[in-house]
Amino acid sequence: MDFHTLYKYVCHLFCLSMQIVWGLDEVALLNPPEEPVPDHHLEILYSCEEPAAVQLDCIVSLDSGIISTLLLRRWSCVPGDPKIRTVDLNLPDWLVYQADGIVPESPWVLSCILRASVRYSGFEDTEGYIAAQDVASLQPMPFFSRPVKQHQLCIGWSKQMLQLTQEFLKPQCPLEQETVPLLSSIYASTGEEFGITKTLDPHSSEVLEYLRVKAISFPWCLFTIWIFVTRHCQESMCGVFHHIDSDNNYVTPTLFLTNSGKLHIQVNGGSEESSAFLSPFKVPLREWCQLSLMLQGQAMTVSMVCVNQEQGMVRSKEYLLRHTLTLDDTEGYFVIGGGKYINGVEGYFGPVVYYRNRISPHGMSEAVIPDVLKDVNLAGWLQNCQEFHLELSMKISGYSMKAKQRTESETCFHAFHKWVTKDRPPSDSQCEQWEAAVPHRRQAARLSKLFAFKHGGRVSLAAVGRALYSLSLHKLGRASSTGVVGRVLPLLLQAGCLADNRALHMSSVLYSTGLGVKKQPNKAWLLALLAAQRDDRLALLHLGHLHHQGLHGLPTDQDLAYAYYANIAKQTTLDRHNPTPEQTFVEAVYLNNDEVISQQTSEDHHIFQWLKLQARRGAAEAEQAIARMLFWGQQGVSPDIQKAVRHYERGAVQLGDPVSMYDYGVVLLQGRGVEKDVPKAVTFLKRAMDQGFVPAINALAWYYEQFEQDYEQAVKLWEQADLLESPDAALNLGVIYSQGLYPGKAADQYMAYKYYLKSAERGSIRGALQLADFWTTGLPGHVNRRPSDAVLWVKWAAEHNGYLGSVLRKALDSYLKNDMFSSLLYFMVAAESGYEAAQFNAAYLCEQNTGGFLDPAFASHCMLRYYNLTIQSQSPDTYALIRMGDLLYEGQVKGQKNLLSAAEMYKLAALRDEPQGWYNLGLLAEEGFRLPLSVLTELGLSELYLADKSLLLSTLYKRCRDSEDTDSYLPCSLALFNVCLQSFQKDHSGAIKFSTTVAVVAAPMILLVILGVLRRRALLLS
């Protein structure tokens, strides 16, 4: 290279550096799209110092490793002021549209970048150089998410024929989103060991799965979590979001919240390397915040954006690891909130999104508030409650001060002062400014004043809330129609605001059902979330039901429903060991069952008194029944454990009844209602076992395990009881195998699972919980994940909760007292929790509408809604099937008759040997409706019956007549007789017509003969 050439290069570099300093060459993409889209008008700002060219390129990176640069536009740049040029972004069709035979199939695109640049021509043998450039990243669209191009040309005949061949009719794979919504609703977290378990499957697309596996050792993804913390962790850490592998270890990513409010982030690498970090920022209380965790190979970024009065501030921290991250999202399971090994956050979780193998186009600095958070407006409710708290606290303080002054005035003055002021006229009382109250809050103010003067200032807001709730129930109990609900609802809302969870749930039910108020599903959901977060059992049951069935516009989410159901199911097992007066045994009593209704009793009722008489006469069954009623609070009897124990003792000691000996031994062993006496308990349990009572064998095994630590004897007895179908024995053997306590054997989770399955199928609540736990996470290599079945088991267990039983008892007691409004209200509370018997009873009360206490339109809607919910249960009452069939037949569902669906309802009732089902199917056939072949097949009838209507009707009415219900014998027999009569008339119509003609002709002659004979006899007598 000569000196002249070198000089030119140096000058060029100097000029370039001056241009950069002074910013004379400039280019910027003003409105780039987020994805490759058609017909986008792109605006480009550019300027140059010397004549140059502006070039627009598209740089595409393909899966094959090829990087291709596509020239889109090029134009000249004249020196001067900056200019803006609008160009049509004409990207290649294979990058924008789906392949259709004209648009070719595209290779897999990894990345797409738009680049605008200002270019100068080269010097002699060198290429041109770039003086300024700007780039924008476009997110490639999946193949089947792209639009189909509307071609503006005539396709040739040969091309059309080619498109019709099988080569172009390729089966399309279902759309697979790389954005996975792990939670799309709101979850109320109580801060316990319950959370939402999620698992991911491998991609069906070979390309996506290849990329996913490739990214395990170099993850490139993003997790976003909306969270609302109401209270700091009570332990060192609580769960926000964590990942558990098949060996029950925490793996990437794991997010905990510390008791100081900071985030603890934990990730792991390939060679058992792991790292943990503490965020420099804290998660605030009572505020929606979006937490983001971005993983990029060896880099990890955690950020937080909080929403406070529509203003967001970003806090972020990036960490560079010494090792590469690993993330296999199909290994193990993810947990939102609490889990087996850690309690969850106290508060609420909003939408949780996992951007699988990609980063969100919004990045981490922009928080788009989800619509579900706006609809519920949790922060608005809490802010209003806080203002109400401040107002009421001020009133309580003021009334307390007045009460104190009055007390001092009554105690400090002597007799002379009293004599002087005795006849003084009273001064006009002046109300302080703080005593003023808006009309709908006057009751709360009055109660605060009453409590302040009564208790001398020692008044809590919670006490006022409880009083408001009691006052609300009192007013509702005196109501004879729904008109009072609108006046009582503000009191319930204020009580709920003052931390009475029962009032929150009651208000939620009223807004959900529209009983006396306008239906507001979003407000009903908000109130249920508030009550559930405070661990209200019925609210948890209610939310589980909503997400299990997908009601009121909420998404169906089996994993979310499981989280709610598992919470109350676990508490059900604990509540049974710690009974309280607020709990009652759950009994499924149907209001149309007169026999069961007549068995409802109390300690003063004649049935209970008759049982006591029989027990005194030595009837062991009567002694058992009385003790059971008193211990569990069954059949209308209030629970009284001490009295129940006395009856257990009498049956065990005086009557030698093995059932009573077992019950008495158990209460002695546990010290429930009686002083604990283990030797005496073992004596009675052994006597019961000697008489062959199986539960006593299980109880003795439990004694050997808990008190003697003799696992060999315990296992021997449990295996003996398991052979005799004991549910508790199977449960305990499952625990033994799970914890590795079986003598001479290592822990075996699969054996534990099999015993839990047997225990649940035999009716054990704890067995159902353990089985559901296996089915919600699976057991690698042995048990597949079955979330839908797991939900059914925990739902069944949750519906045995004593607080639900208490509501059902109140509803039934109100019905027996002819208080139909209160009965319907309490049955609705239980019905909104998904309990089938309560749904049936609510529909039945609305159908009867005794005394017209309901508006006819509401009663009709209520009946239809709850009968419809009833028939969706696993084993609906046959009366509900019949009534739903009638409603479909009458056209009360969607305003038109639906005979096909009505026949389906009647068929289901007939299959359960309900005579009304057979009868109604016969009526449909008589009216000319052709029963579908599918219905006949399920009823055990062949297609031949379709050709012979008389034969079909005879068969249906015969099965109706031959059912076990004696009340149906007469109507079914009459219907059958009518069919036979019509059949006889049809088959012998000719003979019947001839006989009728002969009778008509011969009748006058026969009448004349009879009259002649009678006249002759009369003459002889005279």
Side-chain angles (χ1 to χ4, degrees), residues 9 25 34 68 138 168 225 308 369 437 450 562 615 635 826 837 851 885:
Y9 273 123
D25 297 309
E34 294 182 354
S68 177
L138 309 186
F168 285 91
I225 305 163
N308 186 8
I369 305 175
L450 176 64
Y562 179 88
Q635 293 181 233
Y826 284 116

Side-chain angles (χ1 to χ4, degrees), residues 700-917:
L700 272 174
W702 184 79
Y703 159 76
Y704 281 112
E705 181 214 7
Q706 294 291 322
F707 292 89
E708 302 290 344
Q709 281 76 49
D710 188 347
Y711 291 101
E712 290 187 5
Q713 182 64 18
V715 167
K716 179 181 177 181
L717 290 172
W718 275 327
E719 289 180 339
Q720 178 185 344
D722 176 55
L723 295 175
L724 298 172
E725 303 291 323
S726 169
D728 291 329
L731 168 69
N732 290 321
L733 285 171
V735 174
I736 289 292
Y737 273 105
S738 176
Q739 297 181 359
L741 299 176
Y742 196 104
K745 295 184 180 180
D748 190 335
Q749 299 302 322
Y750 183 58
M751 282 296 295
Y753 161 77
K754 292 196 289 186
Y755 276 110
Y756 290 146
L757 178 60
K758 287 198 293 184
S759 175
E761 290 175 342
R762 294 172 186 173
S764 169
I765 295 177
R766 289 180 59 202
L769 278 174
Q770 297 292 344
L771 174 66
D773 188 51
F774 270 98
W775 278 351
T776 194
T777 59
L779 187 62
H782 298 283
V783 181
N784 293 327
R785 189 169 184 262
R786 298 167 61 177
S788 299
D789 293 330
V791 168
L792 294 178
W793 278 112
V794 290
K795 178 181 184 292
W796 172 81
E799 288 179 347
H800 286 77
N801 190 270
Y803 290 89
L804 174 63
S806 178
V807 172
L808 293 171
R809 173 49 52 188
K810 291 177 182 177
L812 191 56
D813 287 344
S814 298
Y815 177 79
L816 295 174
K817 296 174 183 176
N818 292 320
D819 184 359
M820 298 303 167
F821 177 78
S822 296
S823 180
L824 176 62
L825 176 62
Y826 284 116
F827 274 130
M828 279 184 166
V829 170
E832 290 301 303
S833 299
Y835 191 64
E836 186 265 337
Q839 292 172 341
F840 175 88
N841 290 339
Y844 186 81
L845 286 172
C846 291
E847 179 187 5
Q848 301 298 316
N849 197 14
T850 305
F853 73 99
L854 294 174
D855 176 73
F858 178 83
S860 177
H861 173 76
C862 164
M863 173 184 62
L864 175 61
R865 177 173 182 262
Y866 283 116
Y867 275 141
N868 188 35
L869 289 173
T870 302
I871 64 173
Q872 296 176 34
S873 62
Q874 287 183 293
S875 182
D877 188 87
T878 54
Y879 182 87
L881 294 170
I882 296 296
R883 288 299 294 125
M884 198 64 201
D886 293 343
L887 294 173
L888 290 163
Y889 172 80
E890 295 166 1
Q892 295 192 33
V893 181
K894 297 182 179 180
Q896 57 183 359
K897 284 190 173 185
N898 191 338
L899 300 184
L900 180 60
S901 297
E904 286 290 331
M905 295 294 105
Y906 297 146
K907 176 205 70 178
L908 293 174
L911 289 174
R912 296 176 60 181
D913 202 26
E914 170 58 45
Q916 189 70 49

Side-chain angles (χ1 to χ4, degrees), residues 212-250:
R212 187 195 69 81
V213 173
K214 191 175 180 180
I216 290 177
S217 58
F218 195 88
W220 188 278
C221 59
L222 174 68
F223 294 87
T224 62
I225 305 163
W226 281 94
I227 192 170
F228 188 101
V229 183
T230 58
R231 186 184 181 191
H232 286 305
C233 300
Q234 300 305 295
E235 300 178 358
S236 59
M237 287 189 290
C238 48
V240 175
F241 183 84
H242 55 277
H243 185 192
I244 303 292
D245 66 7
S246 55
D247 295 324
N248 295 326
N249 296 319
Y250 289 115

